Amino acid sequence: ENVFDDIQNIESAQRGYIITGDSNFLTPYFDALTRLRTDTLTLQTVKKLEPERQNDIQQIFELIRAKIRFAEKTVALRTQSGIEPAMEAVKSDEGRLLMRAIRDRFIKIETEDRILLGKLNDNRELIGRQTTILFIILGVLFLLSLISFFILIKRDIRWRLHAELNSQVTEKTDAFKNI
């Protein structure tokens, strides 16, 4: 976005200077050129991090260089030769066609990003549902384990009580026999 904004600012300042001849328009022009150098470094990083985007980003760089050359040419024409030659260059539509090509490349990348983001969100939702199902299954298994342990403990207590009663009965029977 910053790169595209910089290019638009360069174009606006360039046109302002060509139309008016007022050198005050060159300040935002040069400021935007400076920002563009910094912002294209970020784009270079994306190019390295996302190899599948190298062709698109390389084409954007080529279009940006052509757009800057065109802007420099028209500013130089206005400065050195006056408004007529500069206006003729602008009327050639070269600048507009370059800007459209740059815009189209950025729109292509943004569209691909939106599609990718949509897929990632779909995957997150799927993983969220799967995680919920997993927790439900684990909860049911935990509950079944608790019930199983309860039944085993109850059975063990019953067996011990039964064994103790048998032992007491045996003791009393033996004691009674000895009388």
Side-chain angles (χ1 to χ4, degrees):
E1 284 183 32
N2 290 343
V3 171
F4 191 72
D5 290 344
D6 295 337
I7 294 167
Q8 285 183 317
N9 290 337
I10 290 168
E11 185 179 54
S12 295
Q14 165 215 5
R15 288 186 177 181
Y17 176 68
I18 290 170
I19 292 169
T20 66
D22 184 352
S23 61
N24 287 326
F25 280 99
L26 294 179
T27 301
Y29 171 82
F30 289 117
D31 290 346
L33 279 172
T34 302
R35 282 191 311 276
L36 181 63
R37 286 184 192 94
T38 304
D39 293 337
T40 52
L41 291 176
T42 304
L43 210 52
Q44 284 284 9
T45 304
V46 170
K47 183 179 172 185
K48 290 176 186 173
L49 293 175
E50 299 182 37
E52 67 278 0
R53 292 249 170 104
Q54 284 186 0
N55 288 336
D56 287 328
I57 293 173
Q58 188 59 40
Q59 288 175 358
I60 287 172
F61 284 144
E62 291 169 12
L63 290 166
I64 288 171
R65 283 192 288 277
K67 181 67 175 164
I68 290 171
R69 280 193 304 272
F70 178 75
E72 288 171 345
K73 177 178 99 174
T74 57
V75 167
L77 279 171
R78 177 63 166 109
T79 302
Q80 297 166 4
S81 305
I83 192 169
E84 290 302 320
M87 290 300 286
E88 284 303 313
V90 170
K91 287 179 186 176
S92 73
D93 249 6
E94 181 182 347
R96 186 181 65 76
L97 294 174
L98 286 168
M99 198 63 180
R100 179 187 296 163
I102 292 168
R103 183 179 297 113
D104 289 347
R105 283 285 164 212
F106 277 112
I107 288 171
K108 178 181 182 263
I109 289 173
E110 286 177 2
T111 302
E112 289 171 355
D113 282 349
R114 284 189 183 110
I115 290 169
L116 180 61
L117 186 59
K119 288 178 182 178
L120 289 173
N121 283 338
D122 291 346
N123 284 342
R124 280 193 198 129
E125 288 176 15
L126 176 63
I127 289 169
R129 284 191 297 271
Q130 289 172 341
T131 303
T132 301
I133 291 169
L134 178 65
F135 277 118
I136 290 170
I137 290 170
L138 288 174
V140 168
L141 288 174
F142 180 72
L143 188 58
L144 289 174
S145 297
L146 282 176
I147 291 169
S148 296
F149 285 128
F150 176 75
I151 290 171
L152 288 174
I153 290 170
K154 186 177 176 184
R155 190 178 293 162
D156 186 54
I157 290 172
R158 211 180 293 154
W159 181 82
R160 287 180 188 207
L161 285 174
H162 183 68
E164 191 175 321
L165 281 173
N166 281 340
S167 173
Q168 287 175 359
V169 167
T170 303
E171 280 178 23
K172 298 233 184 215
T173 305
D174 286 344
F176 186 67
K177 283 182 184 177
N178 290 338
I179 301 185

Coordinates of all heavy atoms in Angstrom, one line a residue, residues 49-131:
L49 N 11.0 -13.5 1.0 CA 10.2 -14.3 1.9 C 9.2 -15.2 1.1 O 8.8 -16.3 1.6 CB 9.6 -13.5 3.0 CG 10.5 -12.9 4.0 CD1 9.7 -12.0 5.0 CD2 11.3 -13.9 4.7
E50 N 8.7 -14.6 0.0 CA 7.7 -15.3 -0.7 C 8.1 -15.5 -2.2 O 7.8 -14.8 -3.1 CB 6.4 -14.5 -0.7 CG 5.8 -14.3 0.7 CD 4.5 -13.6 0.7 OE1 3.7 -13.8 -0.2 OE2 4.3 -12.8 1.7
P51 N 8.9 -16.6 -2.4 CA 9.5 -16.8 -3.7 C 8.4 -16.9 -4.8 O 8.7 -16.6 -6.0 CB 10.2 -18.1 -3.6 CG 10.3 -18.5 -2.2 CD 9.3 -17.6 -1.5
E52 N 7.2 -17.4 -4.5 CA 6.1 -17.6 -5.5 C 5.7 -16.2 -6.0 O 5.0 -16.1 -7.0 CB 5.0 -18.4 -4.9 CG 4.2 -17.7 -3.8 CD 4.8 -17.9 -2.4 OE1 5.9 -18.5 -2.3 OE2 4.2 -17.3 -1.5
R53 N 6.0 -15.1 -5.3 CA 5.6 -13.8 -5.7 C 6.7 -13.0 -6.5 O 6.5 -11.9 -6.8 CB 5.3 -13.0 -4.5 CG 4.0 -13.5 -3.8 CD 3.0 -12.4 -4.0 NE 1.7 -12.9 -3.5 CZ 1.1 -12.5 -2.4 NH1 1.7 -11.7 -1.6 NH2 -0.1 -13.0 -2.1
Q54 N 7.9 -13.7 -6.7 CA 9.0 -13.0 -7.3 C 8.7 -12.4 -8.6 O 9.1 -11.2 -8.9 CB 10.2 -13.9 -7.4 CG 10.9 -14.1 -6.1 CD 12.2 -15.0 -6.2 OE1 12.5 -15.4 -7.3 NE2 12.8 -15.2 -5.1
N55 N 8.0 -13.1 -9.5 CA 7.7 -12.6 -10.8 C 6.8 -11.3 -10.7 O 7.1 -10.3 -11.4 CB 7.0 -13.6 -11.7 CG 7.9 -14.7 -12.1 OD1 9.1 -14.5 -12.2 ND2 7.4 -15.9 -12.4
D56 N 5.7 -11.4 -9.9 CA 4.9 -10.2 -9.8 C 5.6 -9.0 -9.2 O 5.5 -7.9 -9.7 CB 3.7 -10.6 -8.8 CG 2.7 -11.5 -9.5 OD1 2.5 -11.4 -10.7 OD2 2.0 -12.3 -8.8
I57 N 6.4 -9.3 -8.2 CA 7.1 -8.1 -7.5 C 8.2 -7.6 -8.5 O 8.3 -6.4 -8.6 CB 7.7 -8.6 -6.2 CG1 6.5 -8.9 -5.2 CG2 8.6 -7.5 -5.6 CD1 6.9 -9.5 -3.9
Q58 N 8.8 -8.5 -9.2 CA 9.8 -8.0 -10.2 C 9.1 -7.1 -11.2 O 9.7 -6.1 -11.6 CB 10.5 -9.2 -10.8 CG 11.7 -8.8 -11.7 CD 12.8 -8.0 -10.9 OE1 13.1 -8.3 -9.8 NE2 13.3 -6.9 -11.5
Q59 N 8.0 -7.6 -11.7 CA 7.2 -6.8 -12.7 C 6.8 -5.4 -12.1 O 6.9 -4.4 -12.8 CB 6.0 -7.5 -13.2 CG 6.4 -8.7 -14.1 CD 5.2 -9.5 -14.5 OE1 4.1 -9.3 -14.1 NE2 5.5 -10.5 -15.4
I60 N 6.4 -5.4 -10.8 CA 6.1 -4.1 -10.2 C 7.3 -3.2 -10.1 O 7.2 -2.0 -10.4 CB 5.5 -4.4 -8.7 CG1 4.1 -5.0 -8.8 CG2 5.5 -3.1 -7.9 CD1 3.5 -5.4 -7.5
F61 N 8.5 -3.8 -9.8 CA 9.7 -2.9 -9.7 C 10.0 -2.3 -11.1 O 10.3 -1.2 -11.2 CB 10.9 -3.7 -9.3 CG 10.9 -4.0 -7.8 CD1 11.3 -5.2 -7.3 CD2 10.5 -3.0 -6.9 CE1 11.4 -5.4 -5.9 CE2 10.5 -3.2 -5.5 CZ 10.9 -4.5 -5.0
E62 N 9.8 -3.2 -12.2 CA 10.1 -2.7 -13.5 C 9.1 -1.6 -13.9 O 9.5 -0.6 -14.5 CB 10.0 -3.8 -14.5 CG 11.2 -4.8 -14.4 CD 11.0 -6.1 -15.1 OE1 10.1 -6.2 -16.0 OE2 11.8 -7.0 -14.9
L63 N 7.8 -1.8 -13.5 CA 6.8 -0.7 -13.8 C 7.1 0.5 -13.0 O 6.9 1.7 -13.6 CB 5.4 -1.3 -13.5 CG 4.9 -2.4 -14.5 CD1 3.7 -3.1 -13.9 CD2 4.6 -1.8 -15.9
I64 N 7.5 0.4 -11.8 CA 7.8 1.6 -10.9 C 9.0 2.3 -11.5 O 8.9 3.6 -11.6 CB 8.1 1.1 -9.5 CG1 6.8 0.7 -8.8 CG2 8.8 2.3 -8.7 CD1 7.1 0.0 -7.4
R65 N 10.0 1.6 -12.0 CA 11.2 2.3 -12.6 C 10.7 3.0 -13.8 O 11.2 4.2 -14.1 CB 12.3 1.3 -12.9 CG 13.1 0.8 -11.7 CD 14.3 0.1 -12.0 NE 14.1 -1.3 -12.5 CZ 13.9 -2.3 -11.8 NH1 13.9 -2.2 -10.5 NH2 13.6 -3.5 -12.3
A66 N 9.9 2.4 -14.6 CA 9.4 3.1 -15.9 C 8.6 4.3 -15.5 O 8.7 5.4 -16.1 CB 8.6 2.1 -16.7
K67 N 7.7 4.2 -14.5 CA 6.9 5.3 -14.0 C 7.8 6.5 -13.5 O 7.5 7.6 -13.8 CB 5.9 4.8 -12.9 CG 5.0 5.9 -12.4 CD 4.0 6.4 -13.5 CE 3.0 7.4 -12.9 NZ 2.3 8.1 -13.9
I68 N 8.8 6.1 -12.8 CA 9.7 7.2 -12.3 C 10.5 7.9 -13.4 O 10.6 9.1 -13.4 CB 10.7 6.6 -11.2 CG1 9.9 6.2 -9.9 CG2 11.8 7.6 -10.9 CD1 10.7 5.5 -8.9
R69 N 10.9 7.0 -14.4 CA 11.6 7.6 -15.5 C 10.7 8.6 -16.3 O 11.1 9.7 -16.7 CB 12.1 6.5 -16.5 CG 13.4 5.8 -16.0 CD 14.0 5.0 -17.1 NE 13.1 4.0 -17.6 CZ 13.0 2.7 -17.1 NH1 13.7 2.4 -16.1 NH2 12.1 1.9 -17.7
F70 N 9.4 8.1 -16.4 CA 8.4 9.0 -17.1 C 8.2 10.3 -16.3 O 8.2 11.4 -16.9 CB 7.1 8.3 -17.3 CG 6.1 9.1 -18.0 CD1 6.1 9.4 -19.3 CD2 5.0 9.6 -17.2 CE1 5.2 10.2 -19.9 CE2 4.1 10.4 -17.8 CZ 4.1 10.7 -19.2
A71 N 8.1 10.2 -15.0 CA 7.9 11.4 -14.2 C 9.1 12.3 -14.3 O 9.0 13.5 -14.4 CB 7.6 11.0 -12.7
E72 N 10.3 11.7 -14.2 CA 11.5 12.5 -14.3 C 11.6 13.2 -15.6 O 12.0 14.4 -15.7 CB 12.7 11.7 -14.0 CG 12.9 11.2 -12.6 CD 14.0 10.2 -12.4 OE1 14.4 9.5 -13.4 OE2 14.4 10.0 -11.2
K73 N 11.2 12.5 -16.7 CA 11.3 13.0 -18.0 C 10.3 14.2 -18.2 O 10.7 15.3 -18.7 CB 10.9 12.0 -19.1 CG 10.9 12.4 -20.5 CD 10.6 11.3 -21.4 CE 9.1 11.3 -21.8 NZ 8.8 10.3 -22.8
T74 N 9.1 14.1 -17.7 CA 8.1 15.2 -17.8 C 8.5 16.4 -16.9 O 8.3 17.5 -17.4 CB 6.7 14.7 -17.5 OG1 6.7 14.1 -16.2 CG2 6.2 13.6 -18.5
V75 N 9.0 16.1 -15.8 CA 9.5 17.2 -14.9 C 10.6 18.0 -15.6 O 10.7 19.2 -15.6 CB 9.8 16.7 -13.5 CG1 10.6 17.8 -12.7 CG2 8.6 16.3 -12.7
A76 N 11.6 17.2 -16.1 CA 12.7 17.8 -16.8 C 12.2 18.6 -18.0 O 12.7 19.7 -18.3 CB 13.7 16.8 -17.2
L77 N 11.3 18.1 -18.8 CA 10.7 18.8 -20.0 C 10.1 20.1 -19.5 O 10.3 21.1 -20.2 CB 9.7 17.9 -20.7 CG 10.2 16.9 -21.6 CD1 9.1 16.0 -22.1 CD2 10.9 17.5 -22.8
R78 N 9.3 20.1 -18.4 CA 8.7 21.3 -17.9 C 9.7 22.3 -17.5 O 9.6 23.5 -17.8 CB 7.7 21.0 -16.8 CG 7.0 22.2 -16.2 CD 6.1 22.8 -17.2 NE 5.2 23.8 -16.6 CZ 5.3 25.1 -16.7 NH1 6.3 25.6 -17.4 NH2 4.4 25.9 -16.2
T79 N 10.7 21.8 -16.8 CA 11.8 22.8 -16.3 C 12.6 23.3 -17.5 O 12.9 24.5 -17.5 CB 12.7 22.0 -15.4 OG1 11.9 21.5 -14.3 CG2 13.8 22.9 -14.8
Q80 N 13.0 22.5 -18.4 CA 13.9 22.9 -19.5 C 13.2 23.5 -20.7 O 13.8 24.4 -21.4 CB 14.8 21.8 -19.9 CG 15.7 21.3 -18.8 CD 16.3 19.9 -19.1 OE1 16.1 19.3 -20.2 NE2 17.0 19.4 -18.1
S81 N 12.0 23.0 -21.1 CA 11.4 23.4 -22.3 C 10.0 24.0 -22.2 O 9.5 24.4 -23.2 CB 11.3 22.1 -23.2 OG 12.5 21.5 -23.4
G82 N 9.5 24.1 -21.0 CA 8.2 24.7 -20.8 C 7.0 23.7 -20.8 O 7.2 22.5 -20.8
I83 N 5.8 24.3 -20.7 CA 4.6 23.5 -20.5 C 4.3 22.6 -21.7 O 3.8 21.5 -21.5 CB 3.5 24.4 -20.1 CG1 2.3 23.5 -19.5 CG2 3.0 25.3 -21.2 CD1 1.2 24.3 -18.8
E84 N 4.4 23.1 -22.9 CA 3.9 22.4 -24.1 C 4.6 21.0 -24.3 O 3.8 20.0 -24.4 CB 4.1 23.3 -25.4 CG 3.2 24.5 -25.5 CD 1.7 24.1 -25.4 OE1 1.3 23.1 -26.0 OE2 0.9 24.8 -24.7
P85 N 5.9 20.9 -24.3 CA 6.5 19.6 -24.4 C 6.1 18.6 -23.3 O 5.9 17.4 -23.5 CB 8.0 19.8 -24.5 CG 8.1 21.3 -24.8 CD 6.9 22.0 -24.3
A86 N 6.0 19.2 -22.1 CA 5.7 18.4 -20.9 C 4.2 17.9 -21.1 O 3.9 16.7 -20.8 CB 5.8 19.2 -19.6
M87 N 3.3 18.7 -21.5 CA 1.9 18.4 -21.7 C 1.8 17.3 -22.8 O 1.0 16.4 -22.7 CB 1.1 19.6 -22.0 CG 0.9 20.5 -20.8 SD 0.1 19.7 -19.4 CE -1.6 19.6 -19.9
E88 N 2.6 17.5 -23.8 CA 2.5 16.5 -24.9 C 2.9 15.1 -24.4 O 2.3 14.1 -24.8 CB 3.4 16.9 -26.1 CG 2.8 18.0 -26.9 CD 1.5 17.7 -27.5 OE1 1.3 16.5 -28.1 OE2 0.6 18.5 -27.4
A89 N 3.9 15.1 -23.6 CA 4.4 13.8 -23.0 C 3.3 13.2 -22.1 O 3.0 12.0 -22.2 CB 5.7 14.0 -22.2
V90 N 2.6 14.0 -21.3 CA 1.5 13.5 -20.5 C 0.4 13.0 -21.3 O -0.2 12.0 -21.0 CB 1.0 14.7 -19.5 CG1 -0.2 14.2 -18.8 CG2 2.1 15.0 -18.5
K91 N 0.1 13.7 -22.4 CA -1.0 13.3 -23.3 C -0.8 12.0 -24.0 O -1.7 11.4 -24.5 CB -1.3 14.4 -24.3 CG -2.0 15.6 -23.7 CD -2.2 16.7 -24.8 CE -2.7 18.0 -24.2 NZ -2.9 19.0 -25.3
S92 N 0.5 11.6 -24.0 CA 0.8 10.4 -24.7 C 0.2 9.1 -24.0 O 0.2 8.0 -24.6 CB 2.4 10.2 -24.8 OG 2.9 9.8 -23.5
D93 N -0.3 9.3 -22.8 CA -0.9 8.2 -22.1 C 0.1 7.2 -21.5 O -0.4 6.3 -20.8 CB -2.0 7.5 -22.9 CG -3.4 7.8 -22.5 OD1 -3.6 8.6 -21.6 OD2 -4.3 7.1 -23.0
E94 N 1.3 7.5 -21.7 CA 2.3 6.5 -21.1 C 2.2 6.4 -19.6 O 2.2 5.4 -19.0 CB 3.7 7.0 -21.5 CG 4.8 6.0 -21.0 CD 6.2 6.5 -21.4 OE1 6.4 7.4 -22.2 OE2 7.2 6.0 -20.8
G95 N 2.1 7.6 -18.9 CA 2.0 7.6 -17.5 C 0.8 6.9 -17.0 O 0.8 6.2 -16.0
R96 N -0.4 7.2 -17.6 CA -1.6 6.5 -17.2 C -1.6 5.0 -17.4 O -2.0 4.3 -16.6 CB -2.8 7.1 -18.0 CG -4.2 6.7 -17.6 CD -5.3 7.3 -18.4 NE -5.3 6.8 -19.8 CZ -5.7 5.6 -20.2 NH1 -6.2 4.8 -19.4 NH2 -5.7 5.3 -21.5
L97 N -1.0 4.6 -18.5 CA -0.9 3.1 -18.8 C 0.0 2.5 -17.8 O -0.3 1.4 -17.3 CB -0.4 2.9 -20.2 CG -1.4 3.3 -21.3 CD1 -0.8 3.2 -22.7 CD2 -2.7 2.5 -21.2
L98 N 1.1 3.1 -17.4 CA 2.0 2.6 -16.4 C 1.3 2.5 -15.1 O 1.4 1.5 -14.4 CB 3.3 3.4 -16.3 CG 4.3 3.3 -17.5 CD1 5.3 4.4 -17.4 CD2 4.9 1.9 -17.4
M99 N 0.6 3.5 -14.7 CA -0.1 3.6 -13.5 C -1.2 2.4 -13.4 O -1.3 1.8 -12.4 CB -0.8 4.9 -13.2 CG -1.1 5.2 -11.8 SD 0.3 5.2 -10.8 CE -0.4 5.5 -9.2
R100 N -1.9 2.2 -14.5 CA -2.9 1.2 -14.6 C -2.2 -0.2 -14.4 O -2.7 -1.1 -13.7 CB -3.7 1.2 -15.9 CG -4.7 0.1 -15.9 CD -5.4 -0.1 -17.3 NE -6.1 1.1 -17.6 CZ -6.6 1.4 -18.8 NH1 -6.3 0.5 -19.8 NH2 -7.3 2.4 -19.0
A101 N -1.1 -0.4 -15.1 CA -0.4 -1.7 -15.0 C 0.1 -1.9 -13.5 O 0.0 -3.0 -13.0 CB 0.8 -1.7 -15.9
I102 N 0.6 -0.9 -12.9 CA 1.0 -1.0 -11.5 C -0.1 -1.3 -10.6 O -0.1 -2.2 -9.8 CB 1.7 0.3 -11.0 CG1 3.1 0.5 -11.7 CG2 1.9 0.3 -9.5 CD1 3.7 1.9 -11.6
R103 N -1.2 -0.6 -10.8 CA -2.5 -0.8 -10.0 C -2.9 -2.3 -10.2 O -3.3 -3.0 -9.2 CB -3.5 0.2 -10.4 CG -4.8 0.0 -9.6 CD -5.9 1.1 -10.0 NE -5.4 2.4 -9.7 CZ -5.2 3.3 -10.7 NH1 -5.3 3.0 -12.0 NH2 -4.8 4.5 -10.4
D104 N -3.0 -2.7 -11.4 CA -3.4 -4.1 -11.7 C -2.6 -5.1 -11.0 O -3.1 -6.1 -10.5 CB -3.4 -4.3 -13.2 CG -4.5 -3.6 -14.0 OD1 -5.4 -3.0 -13.3 OD2 -4.5 -3.5 -15.2
R105 N -1.2 -4.9 -11.0 CA -0.3 -5.9 -10.3 C -0.7 -5.9 -8.8 O -0.7 -7.0 -8.2 CB 1.1 -5.5 -10.5 CG 1.6 -5.8 -11.8 CD 1.9 -7.3 -11.9 NE 2.0 -7.6 -13.3 CZ 1.7 -8.8 -13.9 NH1 1.2 -9.7 -13.2 NH2 1.8 -8.9 -15.2
F106 N -0.8 -4.7 -8.2 CA -1.1 -4.7 -6.8 C -2.5 -5.3 -6.5 O -2.6 -6.0 -5.5 CB -1.1 -3.2 -6.3 CG 0.3 -2.8 -5.9 CD1 0.9 -1.8 -6.7 CD2 1.0 -3.3 -4.8 CE1 2.2 -1.3 -6.3 CE2 2.2 -2.9 -4.5 CZ 2.8 -1.9 -5.2
I107 N -3.5 -5.1 -7.4 CA -4.8 -5.7 -7.2 C -4.7 -7.2 -7.3 O -5.3 -7.9 -6.5 CB -5.8 -5.1 -8.2 CG1 -6.2 -3.7 -7.8 CG2 -7.0 -6.0 -8.3 CD1 -7.0 -3.0 -8.9
K108 N -3.9 -7.7 -8.2 CA -3.7 -9.1 -8.4 C -3.1 -9.7 -7.1 O -3.6 -10.7 -6.6 CB -2.7 -9.4 -9.5 CG -2.4 -10.9 -9.7 CD -1.5 -11.1 -10.9 CE -1.2 -12.6 -11.1 NZ 0.0 -13.0 -10.5
I109 N -2.1 -9.1 -6.5 CA -1.5 -9.6 -5.3 C -2.5 -9.5 -4.1 O -2.6 -10.4 -3.3 CB -0.2 -8.8 -5.0 CG1 0.9 -9.1 -6.0 CG2 0.3 -9.0 -3.5 CD1 2.2 -8.3 -5.9
E110 N -3.2 -8.4 -4.0 CA -4.2 -8.3 -2.9 C -5.3 -9.3 -3.1 O -5.7 -9.9 -2.1 CB -4.8 -6.9 -3.0 CG -3.9 -5.8 -2.4 CD -4.5 -4.4 -2.5 OE1 -5.7 -4.3 -3.0 OE2 -3.8 -3.4 -2.1
T111 N -5.7 -9.6 -4.3 CA -6.7 -10.6 -4.5 C -6.2 -12.0 -4.1 O -6.9 -12.8 -3.4 CB -7.2 -10.6 -6.0 OG1 -7.7 -9.3 -6.3 CG2 -8.3 -11.7 -6.2
E112 N -5.0 -12.3 -4.5 CA -4.4 -13.6 -4.1 C -4.3 -13.7 -2.6 O -4.5 -14.7 -2.0 CB -3.0 -13.7 -4.7 CG -3.1 -14.0 -6.2 CD -1.8 -14.0 -6.9 OE1 -0.7 -13.6 -6.3 OE2 -1.7 -14.2 -8.1
D113 N -3.9 -12.5 -1.9 CA -3.8 -12.5 -0.5 C -5.2 -12.8 0.2 O -5.3 -13.5 1.2 CB -3.2 -11.2 0.0 CG -1.7 -11.1 -0.1 OD1 -1.1 -12.1 -0.4 OD2 -1.2 -9.9 0.0
R114 N -6.2 -12.1 -0.4 CA -7.5 -12.3 0.2 C -8.0 -13.8 0.1 O -8.6 -14.4 1.0 CB -8.5 -11.4 -0.5 CG -8.4 -10.0 0.0 CD -9.5 -9.1 -0.5 NE -9.3 -7.7 -0.1 CZ -9.0 -6.7 -0.9 NH1 -8.9 -7.0 -2.2 NH2 -8.8 -5.5 -0.4
I115 N -7.7 -14.4 -1.1 CA -8.1 -15.8 -1.3 C -7.3 -16.7 -0.3 O -7.9 -17.6 0.3 CB -7.8 -16.2 -2.7 CG1 -8.8 -15.5 -3.7 CG2 -7.8 -17.7 -2.9 CD1 -8.4 -15.7 -5.2
L116 N -6.0 -16.4 -0.2 CA -5.2 -17.2 0.8 C -5.7 -17.0 2.2 O -5.8 -18.0 3.0 CB -3.7 -16.8 0.7 CG -2.7 -17.5 1.6 CD1 -2.7 -19.0 1.3 CD2 -1.3 -16.9 1.4
L117 N -6.0 -15.8 2.6 CA -6.5 -15.5 3.9 C -7.8 -16.2 4.2 O -8.1 -16.8 5.2 CB -6.7 -14.0 4.1 CG -7.1 -13.5 5.5 CD1 -6.0 -13.9 6.5 CD2 -7.2 -12.0 5.5
G118 N -8.7 -16.2 3.1 CA -10.0 -17.0 3.3 C -9.7 -18.4 3.5 O -10.4 -19.1 4.3
K119 N -8.8 -19.0 2.8 CA -8.4 -20.4 3.0 C -7.9 -20.7 4.4 O -8.2 -21.7 5.0 CB -7.4 -20.9 1.9 CG -8.0 -21.0 0.5 CD -7.0 -21.4 -0.5 CE -7.6 -21.5 -1.9 NZ -6.5 -21.8 -2.9
L120 N -7.0 -19.8 4.8 CA -6.5 -19.9 6.2 C -7.6 -19.8 7.2 O -7.6 -20.6 8.2 CB -5.4 -18.9 6.4 CG -4.1 -19.0 5.7 CD1 -3.2 -17.8 5.9 CD2 -3.4 -20.3 6.0
N121 N -8.5 -18.9 7.0 CA -9.6 -18.8 8.0 C -10.5 -20.1 7.9 O -10.9 -20.5 9.0 CB -10.5 -17.6 7.7 CG -9.8 -16.3 8.1 OD1 -9.0 -16.3 9.0 ND2 -10.2 -15.2 7.5
D122 N -10.7 -20.6 6.7 CA -11.5 -21.9 6.6 C -10.8 -23.0 7.4 O -11.4 -23.8 8.1 CB -11.7 -22.3 5.2 CG -12.6 -21.3 4.4 OD1 -13.3 -20.5 5.1 OD2 -12.7 -21.4 3.2
N123 N -9.4 -23.0 7.2 CA -8.6 -24.1 7.9 C -8.7 -23.9 9.4 O -8.8 -24.9 10.2 CB -7.2 -24.0 7.5 CG -7.0 -24.7 6.1 OD1 -7.8 -25.4 5.6 ND2 -5.9 -24.4 5.5
R124 N -8.7 -22.6 9.9 CA -8.8 -22.4 11.3 C -10.1 -22.8 11.9 O -10.2 -23.4 12.9 CB -8.6 -20.9 11.6 CG -7.1 -20.5 11.6 CD -7.0 -19.1 12.2 NE -5.7 -18.6 11.8 CZ -5.4 -17.4 11.2 NH1 -6.4 -16.6 11.0 NH2 -4.2 -17.1 10.9
E125 N -11.2 -22.5 11.1 CA -12.5 -23.0 11.5 C -12.6 -24.5 11.6 O -13.1 -25.0 12.6 CB -13.6 -22.4 10.6 CG -13.8 -20.9 10.7 CD -14.8 -20.4 9.7 OE1 -15.5 -21.2 9.1 OE2 -14.8 -19.1 9.6
L126 N -12.0 -25.2 10.6 CA -12.0 -26.6 10.6 C -11.2 -27.2 11.8 O -11.7 -28.1 12.5 CB -11.4 -27.1 9.3 CG -11.3 -28.7 9.2 CD1 -12.6 -29.3 9.2 CD2 -10.5 -29.0 7.9
I127 N -10.1 -26.6 12.0 CA -9.2 -27.0 13.1 C -9.9 -26.7 14.5 O -9.9 -27.6 15.4 CB -7.8 -26.3 13.1 CG1 -7.0 -26.9 11.9 CG2 -7.1 -26.5 14.4 CD1 -5.8 -26.1 11.6
G128 N -10.6 -25.6 14.5 CA -11.4 -25.3 15.7 C -12.5 -26.3 16.0 O -12.7 -26.8 17.1
R129 N -13.2 -26.7 14.9 CA -14.3 -27.7 15.1 C -13.7 -29.1 15.5 O -14.2 -29.8 16.3 CB -15.1 -27.9 13.8 CG -16.1 -26.8 13.5 CD -17.0 -27.1 12.4 NE -16.3 -27.2 11.1 CZ -16.1 -26.2 10.3 NH1 -16.5 -25.0 10.6 NH2 -15.5 -26.4 9.1
Q130 N -12.5 -29.4 14.8 CA -11.9 -30.7 15.2 C -11.4 -30.7 16.6 O -11.5 -31.7 17.3 CB -10.7 -30.9 14.2 CG -11.2 -31.3 12.8 CD -10.0 -31.4 11.8 OE1 -8.9 -30.8 12.1 NE2 -10.2 -32.0 10.7
T131 N -10.9 -29.6 17.1 CA -10.4 -29.5 18.4 C -11.6 -29.6 19.4 O -11.5 -30.3 20.4 CB -9.7 -28.1 18.7 OG1 -8.6 -28.0 17.7 CG2 -9.1 -28.0 20.1

